[in-house]
């Protein structure tokens, strides 16, 4: 007996490749945030990702969706979308800590409250873009169903996390910077602003 094809082996290999890609994508996102916003902000966003995926995969299990190539592709696709809300929240919290006065709690609440409507509208836009995939009929219907389920669910979960979990994590990890650190950052941003203006002006 000679084995000509082993679809289990090839499927397992592709799933492993997608899992590796997913882990690398999460790692890349966290590293970029650490470079531009600091390691504390990176920790907050980094913790938001497994929370979103944990809730999404739990609901997959409840509704009978298996972990397959389409499901993993949907999760990788949604990664870029689901980190947007926590990143926006953390970035605005950082801005409030630099510019606003008041207690840490007041600053965090004010920062999240300011971006509440934009986050809700962006989530609604993504959900409306992907939900129609659930109504595809024929052979493509079962193929698209995991994407129509996982992507909107991941994005909705990320919005909930951005409103509830991100502020709590920020209150634990993110600290207001000293006057010296703020002065250094202002000097660096001013230098980058000049570079950006000199580069963009000829193009405009």
């Amino acid at each position: 007996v000679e084995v000509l094809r082993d679809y289990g082996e090839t499927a397992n290999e592709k799933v492993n490749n997608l899992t590796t890609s997913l882990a690398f994508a999460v790692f890349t996102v966290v590293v970029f945030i650490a470079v531009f916003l600091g390691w504390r902000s990176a920790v907050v966003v980094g913790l938001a990702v497994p929370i979103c995926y944990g809730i999404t995969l739990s609901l997959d299990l409840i509704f009978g969706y298996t972990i397959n190539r389409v499901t993993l592709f949907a999760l990788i696709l949604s990664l870029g979308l689901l980190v947007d809300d926590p990143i926006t929240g953390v970035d605005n919290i950082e801005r409030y800590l630099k510019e606003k006065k008041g207690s840490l709690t007041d600053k965090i609440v004010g920062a999240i409250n300011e971006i509440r409507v934009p986050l809700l509208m962006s989530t609604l836009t993504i959900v409306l873009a992907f939900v129609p995939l659930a109504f595809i009929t024929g052979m493509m219907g079962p193929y698209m169903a995991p994407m129509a389920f996982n992507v909107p669910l991941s994005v909705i979960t990320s919005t909930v996390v951005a409103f509830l979990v991100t502020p709590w994590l920020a209150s634990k990890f993110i600290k207001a910077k000293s006057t010296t650190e703020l002065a250094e950052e202002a000097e660096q941003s001013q230098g980058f602003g000049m570079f950006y203006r000199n580069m963009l002006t000829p193009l405009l």
Side-chain angles (χ1 to χ4, degrees):
V1 177
E2 184 179 353
V3 178
L4 298 178
R5 293 184 181 89
D6 186 349
Y7 289 115
E9 184 178 342
T10 55
N12 185 56
E13 181 184 352
K14 292 181 183 299
V15 167
N16 288 338
N17 286 339
L18 283 169
T19 305
T20 305
S21 299
L22 181 60
F24 179 72
V26 173
F27 174 76
T28 305
V29 168
V30 172
V31 168
F32 268 93
I33 295 168
V35 170
F36 290 102
L37 290 179
W39 69 269
R40 294 179 183 275
S41 300
V43 168
V44 174
V45 177
L47 289 174
V49 173
I51 292 171
C52 293
Y53 277 156
I55 295 171
T56 303
L57 290 171
S58 298
L59 291 172
D60 275 336
L61 181 63
I62 292 170
F63 286 94
Y65 287 99
T66 60
I67 295 179
N68 51 55
R69 279 178 277 180
V70 182
T71 307
L72 286 171
F73 175 72
L75 293 176
I76 293 173
L77 175 65
S78 65
L79 176 64
L81 302 172
L82 69 85
V83 295
D84 284 348
D85 291 351
I87 288 174
T88 305
V90 167
D91 189 40
N92 210 40
I93 289 170
E94 289 272 8
R95 185 176 70 86
Y96 261 63
L97 290 176
K98 293 176 187 175
E99 300 176 2
K100 305 293 182 180
K101 294 181 179 179
S103 66
L104 178 63
T105 303
D106 291 339
K107 291 178 182 178
I108 291 174
V109 171
I112 297 298
N113 187 52
E114 186 180 51
I115 59 174
R116 182 180 70 250
V117 175
L119 290 189
L120 289 173
M121 294 305 294
S122 66
T123 300
L124 180 62
T125 304
I126 295 167
V127 169
L128 291 176
F130 279 91
V131 163
L133 294 176
F135 298 96
I136 295 177
T137 57
M139 290 179 63
M140 287 298 290
Y143 187 78
M144 289 296 182
M147 291 186 63
F149 181 80
N150 281 280
V151 175
L153 188 61
S154 298
V155 175
I156 291 171
T157 305
S158 76
T159 304
V160 174
V161 168
F163 287 147
L164 301 177
V165 180
T166 301
W168 179 77
L169 288 173
S171 68
K172 301 297 181 184
F173 286 100
I174 298 177
K175 295 180 180 179
K177 295 181 179 178
S178 64
T179 308
T180 306
E181 290 175 323
L182 290 175
E184 290 177 357
E185 279 193 5
E187 188 177 343
Q188 290 174 358
S189 63
Q190 189 175 9
F192 178 77
M194 290 294 295
F195 165 74
Y196 185 70
R197 181 180 293 276
N198 292 335
M199 183 179 67
L200 204 62
T201 301
L203 298 176
L204 293 174

